[in-house]
Amino acid sequence: MSNERIVINGGKTLYGSVSVHGAKNAVLPLLAAALLTRDEVVIENCPYITDVENMIGLLRDLGADVERDGRNVSVCGRISRTQASGSLCSTMRSSMFMLGAVLSLTGEVELPMPGGCDIGARPLDIHIDGLKKMGASTEYTQGGIRCSAQKLHGADIVMRYPSVGATENLLMCASLAEGYTSLVNCAREPEIVALAKMLKSMGARISGEGTSVIRVQGVEKLSGTRFRADGDRIVAGTVVAATAACGGDVTLYGVSADDMRSVLQAFRSDVCRIEESGVAIRVRSNGHVRAKSVITAPYPLFPTDMQPQFIACQCFSGGISRVEETVFENRLGHVSQLRKMGADIAVSGDCAIVRGKQNGMIPSVLTASDLRGGAGLCVACLKVDGQSSIYNPHYIDRGYEKIEDLFCSLGADVRRTDK
Ligand code: EPZ
């Protein structure tokens, strides 16, 4: 294990404002969708996080011309290869978006099985089922998957679960397929709406995005566009969690409160006031945490990507909370690390029962094992007086631009070192 770690001297209240960077889970499918045209596509507000840099590498690996100009990334999708490199695909889940994009454009694609956070089995059956209904033939290769199709055709597809990635993949395929496609029981996340908006700006004929039924009339070709990604609602939620735990007065810009309803409701209390204006979300907290319970579920309910940060905050409540993880079957890895700090958390299946402690949590040396679990550990370390360390910060870097700078800008004492 590398010696790199984030060192946090916790116990500070947080004050100031944050302009939230672009949403990882919006930008990644948008970059894949840029391959659906040979014209230039410019995506604005692309964050400097490793998943985006790896995605850019993947597009280049396939032959696309990709240039980053600050937070704007331009893609000219001239795909010359239909096989993506294993090293890049193994770093993240979003290589799966290549299935739809490359298959639509070239009629064939071969990918190693995608990587990403170890939070569950994360199969691709819903993706494959939809691609098959659209006329693709698919086979599992040694450690990967190969798909081919003369020409994808429209289909009526009912998804057994509202998979975000499968909805995005199938939406991309349907945009260029021959005929009409209906996606039923599809995901409703804001990132789906963003992808549909960009595809429509490229000439796709889509309706129903943001609801559980999306209808697509395939078109011959798509054109270039310029599209701006929204701020990251999970990064924003992480700052809300930290402010609720630490206390303070923090204003968030660049993200829509409408995309965070369930998160704001979960943290809002008589001691954590959250006000919304058109362009900002203001969080004021006295650092006391009310015991609350949540169940994670597909949008618009409480997002699984905020579950670790919520549990971390609840460790400091004055009561007992119940957190049930229903989306991923292995997403409580951070609990063992929080227990090292003295947290009283009992786990039964996918359920965590947190007995909050207003005192008694101690600074510790911790290890992150996935992106949002690492963010949750940051929340706990920011709250606890004393010096804590979090090893494996590269997990956190997958979805947060320099998390140490983010919280230092709010008055926290956070630094990164490998000494
Ligand atoms: C996206 O992952 C996000 N990643 C995840 O964020 C997020 O947690 C997840 O959606 C749920 O909101 C990106 O957008 C890059 P799913 P995805 O397909 O598409 C099962 C983060 O921290 N499933 O909605 O992989 C799957 O195993 C990451 O930013 C199948 O069984 O999520 C899981 O249990 C983590 N078969 C559930 O559905 C399939 O074919 C939800 O997965 C597909 C999914």
Side-chain angles (χ1 to χ4, degrees):
M1 178 169 86
S2 135
N3 207 27
E4 188 181 26
R5 59 200 180 279
I6 287 174
V7 178
I8 300 178
N9 284 307
K12 311 272 189 299
T13 46
L14 303 179
Y15 288 96
S17 63
V18 176
S19 180
V20 180
H21 65 60
K24 168 177 89 78
N25 291 348
V27 165
L28 294 172
L30 293 176
L31 285 168
L35 292 178
L36 296 172
T37 176
R38 295 186 187 288
D39 299 346
E40 184 187 32
V41 173
V42 178
I43 298 164
E44 299 179 349
N45 203 17
C46 293
Y48 289 99
I49 55 177
T50 45
D51 271 16
V52 168
E53 299 315 310
N54 286 334
M55 191 65 161
I56 289 172
L58 197 48
L59 298 187
R60 286 175 176 152
D61 191 45
L62 292 168
D65 291 332
V66 187
E67 295 303 326
R68 183 191 263 275
D69 173 14
R71 290 173 186 278
N72 297 344
V73 172
S74 75
V75 181
C76 286
R78 296 185 190 86
I79 294 175
S80 54
R81 297 180 60 229
T82 59
Q83 216 171 354
S85 80
S87 56
L88 282 167
C89 288
S90 64
T91 64
M92 55 192 179
R93 172 79 175 172
S94 37
S95 51
M96 68 187 162
F97 295 134
M98 292 306 146
L99 277 179
V102 176
L103 182 61
S104 293
L105 217 67
T106 67
E108 63 174 347
V109 61
E110 184 168 348
L111 286 177
M113 287 310 277
C117 285
D118 180 14
I119 51 180
R122 308 185 80 176
L124 293 172
D125 63 294
I126 303 173
H127 300 247
I128 302 302
D129 175 66
L131 291 174
K132 281 180 171 173
K133 285 191 170 74
M134 298 177 82
S137 61
T138 66
E139 59 174 331
Y140 285 101
T141 61
Q142 180 71 24
I145 186 166
R146 182 185 300 125
C147 299
S148 59
Q150 278 307 318
K151 178 71 178 163
L152 292 172
H153 57 71
D156 290 323
I157 299 167
V158 180
M159 300 166 76
R160 69 172 178 79
Y161 181 88
S163 157
V164 171
T167 303
E168 290 162 341
N169 240 337
L170 297 174
L171 183 56
M172 286 188 245
C173 289
S175 296
L176 285 175
E178 269 171 354
Y180 168 78
T181 295
S182 65
L183 295 178
V184 177
N185 191 34
C186 53
R188 300 164 51 190
E189 273 70 2
E191 292 76 32
I192 307 288
V193 175
L195 176 61
K197 272 185 187 165
M198 189 178 93
L199 287 168
K200 287 159 83 168
S201 74
M202 296 166 71
R205 295 173 57 189
I206 299 168
S207 63
E209 63 271 16
T211 74
S212 52
V213 180
I214 297 179
R215 293 178 172 80
V216 186
Q217 184 63 43
V219 294
E220 279 290 310
K221 74 185 282 291
L222 295 173
S223 311
T225 191
R226 175 180 279 268
F227 187 84
R228 180 177 178 78
D230 288 335
D232 194 311
R233 60 193 173 98
I234 304 300
V235 171
T238 304
V239 176
V240 171
T243 307
C246 299
D249 184 348
V250 173
T251 301
L252 296 158
Y253 296 98
V255 66
S256 162
D258 285 340
D259 292 346
M260 301 178 64
R261 287 271 155 257
S262 55
V263 172
L264 300 183
Q265 175 173 291
F267 285 97
R268 191 173 266 139
S269 75
D270 60 324
V271 292
C272 182
R273 283 177 294 155
I274 302 177
E275 295 151 10
E276 307 159 21
S277 72
V279 293
I281 299 169
R282 185 179 181 188
V283 187
R284 279 182 286 179
S285 155
N286 68 4
H288 294 294
V289 177
R290 291 287 182 248
K292 298 181 98 177
S293 296
V294 295
I295 300 175
T296 69
Y299 191 89
L301 299 181
F302 191 84
T304 176
D305 291 350
M306 276 298 302
Q307 174 262 101
Q309 303 90 313
F310 183 80
I311 284 186
C313 188
Q314 284 296 310
C315 288
F316 303 95
S317 83
I320 297 173
S321 70
R322 180 181 185 278
V323 179
E324 185 178 353
E325 171 57 62
T326 71
V327 178
F328 288 103
E329 70 272 23
N330 180 29
R331 196 172 203 173
L332 292 171
H334 46 285
V335 167
S336 62
Q337 297 297 304
L338 293 170
R339 284 178 179 146
K340 288 173 76 173
M341 302 179 81
D344 180 350
I345 307 174
V347 172
S348 165
D350 290 326
C351 235
I353 305 295
V354 186
R355 293 176 190 282
K357 291 181 175 179
Q358 289 173 320
N359 301 296
M361 292 279 282
I362 52 174
S364 304
V365 177
L366 307 173
T367 302
S369 55
D370 66 81
L371 163 55
R372 306 302 176 184
L377 298 182
C378 285
V379 168
C381 295
L382 286 165
K383 169 68 176 179
V384 172
D385 281 321
Q387 180 170 298
S388 297
S389 301
I390 302 170
Y391 283 81
N392 282 350
H394 62 83
Y395 284 113
I396 303 171
D397 298 338
R398 292 189 47 202
Y400 294 80
E401 270 187 13
K402 288 193 173 301
I403 199 166
E404 63 272 27
D405 294 355
L406 167 63
F407 286 114
C408 280
S409 74
L410 296 173
D413 177 353
V414 188
R415 63 190 170 82
R416 183 186 296 244
T417 179
D418 60 1
K419 299 286 176 286

